[in-house]
């Protein structure tokens, strides 16, 4: 099977009309969009998705942010797509993310303490397969 990754356009990206910009970058890079769905995420699903973060102090605000609107869940495929999309995504903090990356080009700090960073991308092949099973159990 070709390598796959799980990408989310987070609620800030959806609200700001950036779904198309994110998809454009994925496709322009040459990765294939295999699955795509706009939906809301509930707290139980988020707790699975962010299992490594549930006990962190920022988790409650992460839940508030991620449930504040629709997200777009995407499976993208291609050689090295997991690492490749992490590079395209940029650093977690949008102010630190390099220009040219999604977070660097579209994100910034806002005066509400949340990190609004537009996208999620799996950080390893094992995380990608784990996350794909959560978001697209049939895939
Ligand atoms: N996050 C946050 N506050 C923090 C750290 C992380 O709100 O202090 C959120 C942010 O949305 C981030 C997500 O939790 O994208 C996952 O954090 P991680 O460190 O795994 O960053 P990522 O892998 O998304 O770059
Ligand atoms: Mg992470």
């Amino acid at each position: 099977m070709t390598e796959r990754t799980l990408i989310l356009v987070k609620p800030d990206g959806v609200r700001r009309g950036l779904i198309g910009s994110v998809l454009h970058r994925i496709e322009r890079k040459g990765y294939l969009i295999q699955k795509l769905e706009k939906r809301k995420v509930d707290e139980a699903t988020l707790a699975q998705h962010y299992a490594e973060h549930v006990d962190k102090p920022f988790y409650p605000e992460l839940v508030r942010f991620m449930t504040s609107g629709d997200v777009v869940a995407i499976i993208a495929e291609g050689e090295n797509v997991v690492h490749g999309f992490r590079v395209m995504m940029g650093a977690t903090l949008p102010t630190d993310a390099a220009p040219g990356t999604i977070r660097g080009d579209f994100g910034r700090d806002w005066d509400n303490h949340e990190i609004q960073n537009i996208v999620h991308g799996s950080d390893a092949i094992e995380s990608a397969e784990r996350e794909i099973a959560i978001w697209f159990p049939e895939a």
Side-chain angles (χ1 to χ4, degrees):
M1 190 196 305
T2 322
E3 190 172 310
R4 311 185 292 175
T5 196
L6 190 277
I7 295 169
L8 299 175
V9 183
K10 295 183 176 185
D12 59 328
V14 174
R15 265 193 295 275
R16 290 181 51 204
L18 296 173
I19 298 169
S21 299
V22 172
L23 294 178
H24 185 215
R25 286 174 179 232
I26 296 167
E27 292 197 305
R28 200 172 61 176
K29 183 79 174 169
Y31 299 132
L32 204 73
I33 292 167
Q34 189 193 60
K35 292 266 182 190
L36 174 74
E37 192 184 14
K38 188 171 185 235
R39 63 164 94 154
K40 285 196 167 49
V41 58
D42 59 36
E43 288 196 27
T45 306
L46 261 189
Q48 285 182 274
H49 175 80
Y50 279 131
E52 62 175 327
H53 294 313
V54 283
D55 295 324
K56 306 259 176 79
F58 62 81
Y59 188 68
E61 80 187 30
L62 178 57
V63 172
R64 263 199 309 281
F65 169 48
M66 291 298 292
T67 58
S68 68
D70 286 347
V71 302
V72 175
I74 298 158
I75 300 176
E77 66 174 53
E79 282 70 24
N80 275 321
V81 67
V82 173
H83 179 61
F85 188 74
R86 293 287 293 187
V87 173
M88 291 173 67
M89 184 166 96
T92 305
L93 294 173
T95 297
D96 291 338
T101 65
I102 294 168
R103 288 165 166 176
D105 285 352
F106 301 128
R108 69 167 169 97
D109 284 317
W110 302 89
D111 190 22
N112 59 7
H113 305 289
E114 281 178 1
I115 298 177
Q116 300 190 32
N117 55 10
I118 303 156
V119 283
H120 164 84
S122 310
D123 64 8
I125 294 174
E126 308 76 58
S127 335
E129 288 303 317
R130 189 184 70 81
E131 292 169 7
I132 285 169
I134 294 166
W135 289 86
F136 294 100
E138 76 285 3

